[in-house]
Amino acid sequence: MGETLRLLARDKVALAAALFLLLVLACAVFGPVVLGEAADKMNLRQRNAPPFSLADGWLYVLGADALGRSILARIVVAARDTVTIATLAVALSLVAGGTIGLVAGYARGWTETVIMRFADILMSFPSLLLAVVVLYVFNPGVATVVAVLAITRLPIYIRTIRAEVLEIRERLFVQAARVLGAGPVRLIGRHIAPVTVPTLITIATLDFAFVMLAESALSFLGIGIQPPDVTWGLMVAQGRNYLATAWWLAFFPGLAIMLTTLSLNLLSSWMRLAADPTQRWRLDRAPDTGAR
Amino acid sequence: MGAYLGRRTLQSLIALAGLVVLVFFLARLTGDPTNLYLPLDASLEARAEFRAKHGYDDPFLVQFGGFLVDLTRLDFGESIRKARPALDVVLEAIPTTLRLAAITMSLAIAGSILIGSLAAVRPRGIFDRTASILSLAAASAPDFWVAITGILLFAVALGWLPTSGTGTALHWVLPIAVLLIRPFGLLVQVVRGAMITALSSAYVKTARAKGVRERSVVFVHALRNAMLPVITVAGDQAAGIVNGAVIVETIFGFPGVGKLMIDAIEQRDFAVIQAAVLVTALLIFVMNILIDLAYAMIDPRVRHG
């Protein structure tokens, strides 16, 4: 842990990404408590107030929306649903997809065939249609959006984990455990599943950014989160109507999405380097600027 | 090779059959179109007549049976919104989407090969670090936000480009630029990673030792072996665009498949939804098989048995 932190401190970009993510996380946890009231307070004199002016207090530094609510406060409060949805969706597809992939790789035969064809169908199914259907059939909200996002990401986990299990199950220690009399549940749970964890984590960190973008896109199209709930994607959608007169309504929430996904991607690519013993030395070396 | 193609086609057909069932029933779960198409004060008789005319009063299974029978004749039914065969409506939208996908992916592949290879020549050098951060930023950009920011800047503020529509070549600039950003960012990452591996392998050292020029070491010897993962990811991205560049098509008012699909869903135009989903799925299956064949062409070690 100390070693990892030391390596992280050496890489300024990765460090900045980690700090930014901590800030987003803090907003998600404490934001609604601290700024919840400010985010809902309407002030019609402040309608579409321009940003970068401290005349009305620091809350209005990013301007105000069409109802005169502070954009800064709304971004901080919206962090909660944005982060919650992405986290739950990734966790759900990781656990479900990982389990199904383990079963498919271990069982082989027709079980595997059925599961893999099912994954094919999910892959070729437009996630948008799924989102609309789920939205019309169930009540739109955090839970339905999480379900839609998790289902559309399932095939990635199923395919990767199955491919990995196919290789792991032939390894000597798995064979040995089987000879010693371990049943399927013990073999999968104790011997095979732990080996797939690094792969799962790698996919999940990459997927987190993807799921955040997908949620924003759904909310932007009006088939994701519905008001009065609020996410960054929804804020961009609402701001779009005022694009020509008040660009800051859509710009700042979009910037929040961009910076968060960028930080996630930066940190996960750094983590992959740090976790790989054959690449790790690159982090300990001063940046190469000279000629070969 | 023949056996491989047969097996792939069979698998694709099974998946397509599953898709047919799923699309049919999921589309109908969104509700009855009658109330959307008749005026609020339409009489009950008029509503019943509308339902009977389009077959919505039959049980779902009967409707499904009829749909399957028509499907064997390649008849996808009528679009109730446009009162024309649904397949024609979809086939009209396909070229726009395919052209968007083709232009975007060619630019993304060409650009990312150049930038990614140059970055891989000196890992963690100044060019590599700049290219890595910029390409990660590109891969992280929310496309709808880039699209409206682009409109704001280039169409509203500067007035260089039109805001939406398809009239001239200028109309294509913004949509393609927006579509390009994410695949380009991702592909730079993939090319860079694959090229770093390829450039540190023994055959590259041999080529250098023989005195082969650096340019052809990078762009001929190493690149050829680095192409496989690039093609995989590029195929995924292209499939994403073909499956509906919904955001870009709706924001820029492009008459492609993505816009068609979301309009059809909103209007409960079941026949168009079904035709659009199946036609794009078919296109993607064909593309995936072509990609598998490309593997074998680029790397003779890959054999589809």
Side-chain angles (χ1 to χ4, degrees):
Chain A
M1 192 62 200
E3 168 74 6
T4 314
L5 283 180
R6 189 185 65 76
L7 275 179
L8 185 61
R10 281 188 66 100
D11 192 323
K12 300 223 164 36
V13 177
L15 184 67
L19 290 178
F20 184 78
L21 289 178
L22 276 179
L23 176 71
V24 172
L25 205 61
C27 288
V29 175
F30 304 112
V33 182
V34 180
L35 288 176
E37 212 174 307
D40 285 338
K41 202 179 82 190
M42 296 183 210
N43 181 351
L44 291 183
R45 275 194 309 127
Q46 298 274 63
R47 291 191 63 208
N48 291 350
F52 310 125
S53 139
L54 285 172
D56 303 300
W58 61 272
L59 265 181
Y60 291 94
V61 70
L62 296 185
D65 70 3
L67 295 172
R69 297 174 295 193
S70 152
I71 295 205
L72 178 64
R74 283 178 67 73
I75 288 180
V76 169
V77 171
R80 173 171 286 182
D81 275 352
T82 310
V83 171
T84 310
I85 290 171
T87 314
L88 287 179
V90 168
L92 200 63
S93 50
L94 183 144
V95 172
T99 313
I100 300 174
L102 280 171
V103 171
Y106 185 83
R108 313 287 286 273
W110 66 268
T111 318
E112 184 190 13
T113 312
V114 170
I115 291 178
M116 294 323 288
R117 291 297 80 75
F118 167 73
D120 283 351
I121 296 173
L122 268 189
M123 278 286 242
S124 50
F125 196 79
S127 49
L128 196 69
L129 180 54
L130 191 72
V132 180
V133 173
V134 172
L135 194 77
Y136 280 125
V137 179
F138 302 97
N139 283 328
V142 173
T144 40
V145 175
V146 166
V148 167
L149 292 173
I151 292 173
T152 51
R153 300 310 288 165
L154 270 184
I156 315 286
Y157 294 88
I158 297 180
R159 289 183 168 197
T160 325
I161 295 308
R162 168 190 159 267
E164 190 146 339
V165 171
L166 286 183
E167 186 258 326
I168 297 169
R169 71 198 301 277
E170 303 305 327
R171 288 201 203 162
L172 205 55
F173 68 92
V174 179
Q175 304 284 1
R178 181 175 311 161
V179 173
L180 286 172
V185 175
R186 190 180 168 81
L187 266 181
I188 294 181
R190 289 295 298 266
H191 298 283
I192 298 180
V195 185
T196 62
V197 168
T199 313
L200 275 175
I201 290 177
T202 309
I203 314 177
T205 47
L206 283 176
D207 224 27
F208 201 91
F210 184 93
V211 165
M212 249 192 72
L213 289 181
E215 178 272 314
S216 315
L218 283 181
S219 300
F220 177 79
L221 287 171
I223 47 183
I225 291 298
Q226 308 290 321
D229 284 344
V230 60
T231 60
W232 293 336
L234 188 62
M235 289 180 72
V236 177
Q238 291 169 339
R240 190 186 166 195
N241 300 330
Y242 301 92
L243 201 58
T245 49
W247 54 270
W248 50 94
L249 266 60
F251 182 80
F252 290 117
L255 194 64
I257 301 173
M258 165 100 185
L259 289 178
T260 309
T261 44
L262 175 60
S263 302
L264 281 165
N265 280 332
L266 278 172
L267 200 63
S268 81
S269 77
W270 177 85
M271 265 163 50
R272 259 171 295 148
L273 216 56
D276 183 349
T278 62
Q279 295 283 322
R280 201 183 167 108
W281 59 272
R282 291 194 194 280
L283 292 175
D284 242 344
R285 209 181 52 160
D288 175 2
T289 46
R292 181 182 307 277
Chain B
M1 192 56 115
Y4 165 78
L5 275 182
R7 206 176 60 235
R8 272 303 292 261
T9 312
L10 185 69
Q11 284 179 357
S12 305
L13 284 180
I14 296 174
L16 267 183
L19 204 58
V20 168
V21 181
L22 208 60
V23 168
F24 183 89
F25 288 102
L26 280 182
R28 271 151 188 79
L29 278 180
T30 57
D32 187 343
T34 310
N35 297 336
L36 271 179
Y37 284 88
L38 292 187
L40 271 178
D41 56 352
S43 64
L44 284 177
E45 292 80 41
R47 284 170 200 273
E49 193 188 338
F50 183 86
R51 287 200 183 93
K53 184 176 156 223
H54 293 282
Y56 298 134
D57 51 353
D58 292 332
F60 277 173
L61 277 179
V62 175
Q63 291 185 37
F64 185 60
F67 168 63
L68 285 188
V69 170
D70 288 346
L71 203 56
T72 55
R73 288 184 275 120
L74 279 183
D75 177 2
F76 282 87
E78 283 262 306
S79 156
I80 40 175
R81 192 161 53 109
K82 305 207 164 152
R84 293 171 47 209
L87 191 60
D88 292 359
V89 176
V90 173
L91 290 183
E92 258 167 36
I94 291 273
T96 307
T97 297
L98 280 186
R99 200 173 303 155
L100 269 182
I103 300 177
T104 307
M105 290 318 294
S106 333
L107 289 175
I109 292 174
S112 62
I113 284 179
L114 189 67
I115 307 279
S117 307
L118 291 178
V121 170
R122 201 166 297 138
R124 291 186 78 73
I126 188 77
F127 183 80
D128 177 37
R129 292 171 72 92
T130 318
S132 289
I133 292 180
L134 287 184
S135 62
L136 266 182
S140 317
D143 44 9
F144 55 91
W145 178 71
V146 177
I148 59 176
T149 312
I151 291 181
L152 189 66
L153 187 62
F154 294 108
V156 179
L158 297 173
W160 291 350
L161 296 167
T163 47
S164 66
T166 46
T168 63
L170 276 184
H171 285 94
W172 289 71
V173 176
L174 264 183
I176 286 178
V178 172
L179 269 183
L180 186 66
I181 288 175
R182 226 142 96 192
F184 176 71
L186 270 175
L187 282 173
V188 168
Q189 303 276 315
V190 177
V191 172
R192 175 185 172 272
M195 283 297 278
I196 287 180
T197 314
L199 281 172
S200 57
S201 57
Y203 71 89
V204 166
K205 288 205 181 78
T206 312
R208 281 200 178 123
K210 283 198 315 189
V212 178
R213 271 184 314 165
E214 184 66 15
R215 200 190 307 156
S216 58
V217 167
V218 174
F219 287 106
V220 178
H221 292 74
L223 185 61
R224 186 170 174 137
N225 275 294
M227 276 311 280
L228 291 193
V230 178
I231 291 179
T232 311
V233 176
D236 264 12
Q237 296 296 312
I241 300 179
V242 174
N243 222 336
V246 180
I247 298 267
V248 165
E249 285 176 11
T250 37
I251 291 181
F252 292 102
F254 253 57
V257 177
K259 175 137 173 48
L260 182 71
M261 230 186 276
I262 191 143
D263 286 348
I265 294 170
E266 261 168 19
Q267 311 274 339
R268 311 286 192 283
D269 201 345
F270 299 146
V272 173
I273 302 177
Q274 289 152 4
V277 170
L278 291 182
V279 170
T280 50
L282 200 64
L283 280 176
I284 291 170
F285 282 135
V286 171
M287 193 179 72
N288 282 337
I289 291 178
L290 289 180
I291 287 175
D292 277 3
L293 295 180
Y295 285 156
M297 244 168 62
I298 290 177
D299 189 342
R301 287 170 302 181
V302 178
R303 285 276 172 267
H304 301 296

